[in-house]
Amino acid sequence: HGDILIDAVRYAYLDDETIRQKVTVKGSEHLQAALAAGRGIMLITGHLGNWEVLAHIPRLLGVEFCVMADTRRDPQHESIVDELRSRSGATILPPKGKALMLIRELKKGRTIGFVVDSRGDRRGGIFCPVFGLPALTNPAPAVIALKGDALIVPVAAIKEGDSYTLTFEPALDVRTCKADPVQEISDWMQSWVESVVR
């Protein structure tokens, strides 16, 4: 976590040319194919690698996107984090009413970011297999993707030495999920997170 924090600060203050030298992008054709479809895109990642570095996708690839972020109770901490995140080029949405905001962005054909491996609560959560065990999972990412008619593109930022590799994977079209789409999409998302961990 210390490494993630330090790099979040370091990368926020790198100029665009230097950040492009420090970040290798793989699989960008998957993102470009999704963008060419003209629909909303949900970029997904997990709490692995450095998800804060992914906020620099606008600076790296010229692709605008927005992401929701929780706020801190301490206003001084919040102002520091807000300043760092604002330097990335991503639009940070407040947590209040976030689901509706994200659905609206998708319906407008825009790109959003979402960290999908948060645990659900037992009242509204679902169970997805993760490393052979049933893991309580928040269904919100799948619901938002469905209501926003999104293409879901996985991406991870993995550190290698002093630089990062961003790897995009092929998109999942939510329109192809029919029987139990929330479960199917959530299973697919958690399976991708597991594959990156492996």
Side-chain angles (χ1 to χ4, degrees):
H1 281 284
D3 199 41
I4 289 168
L5 176 60
I6 289 166
D7 279 352
V9 174
R10 286 176 61 220
Y11 277 68
Y13 287 92
L14 293 177
D15 60 59
D16 289 359
E17 185 179 338
T18 306
I19 205 169
R20 287 189 194 105
Q21 291 170 358
K22 286 192 158 290
V23 178
T24 301
V25 179
K26 294 182 179 176
S28 61
E29 67 273 13
H30 302 305
L31 176 61
Q32 294 306 322
L35 288 166
R39 289 167 53 195
I41 297 169
M42 177 185 276
L43 293 176
I44 66 164
T45 197
H47 288 95
L48 44 86
N50 193 332
W51 55 94
E52 295 288 350
V53 168
L54 292 174
H56 295 277
I57 285 174
R59 296 172 65 199
L60 288 161
L61 299 173
V63 176
E64 292 183 13
F65 80 104
C66 62
V67 64
M68 62 178 190
D70 291 329
T71 53
R72 277 134 295 278
R73 291 191 190 113
D74 185 318
Q76 286 182 312
H77 289 171
E78 179 58 24
S79 68
I80 292 167
V81 173
D82 191 51
E83 159 69 11
L84 290 174
R85 286 180 167 160
S86 69
R87 299 179 72 85
S88 69
T91 301
I92 310 299
L93 300 176
K96 227 174 186 182
K98 57 192 171 190
L100 288 175
M101 282 187 193
L102 293 173
I103 292 166
R104 277 198 289 267
E105 290 295 306
L106 288 171
K107 285 184 173 179
K108 289 175 187 172
R110 296 184 180 148
T111 302
I112 68 168
F114 212 111
V115 181
V116 297
D117 58 350
S118 63
R119 184 171 49 240
D121 62 42
R122 292 201 173 266
R123 288 168 295 156
I126 59 176
F127 285 88
C128 296
V130 179
F131 291 101
L133 296 171
L136 189 59
T137 303
N138 185 352
V143 171
I144 290 167
L146 277 166
K147 292 195 173 186
D149 189 34
L151 293 165
I152 305 170
V153 178
V155 59
I158 305 300
K159 191 168 187 178
E160 297 175 0
D162 192 38
S163 59
Y164 283 88
T165 298
L166 264 61
T167 304
F168 293 91
E169 298 291 341
L172 172 71
D173 187 342
V174 297
R175 293 176 183 174
T176 65
C177 304
K178 303 288 186 188
D180 185 354
V182 172
Q183 185 71 54
E184 187 179 339
I185 293 167
S186 298
D187 286 345
W188 180 84
M189 289 176 171
Q190 300 314 314
S191 175
W192 172 77
V193 171
E194 180 184 318
S195 75
V196 178
V197 173
R198 286 184 185 278

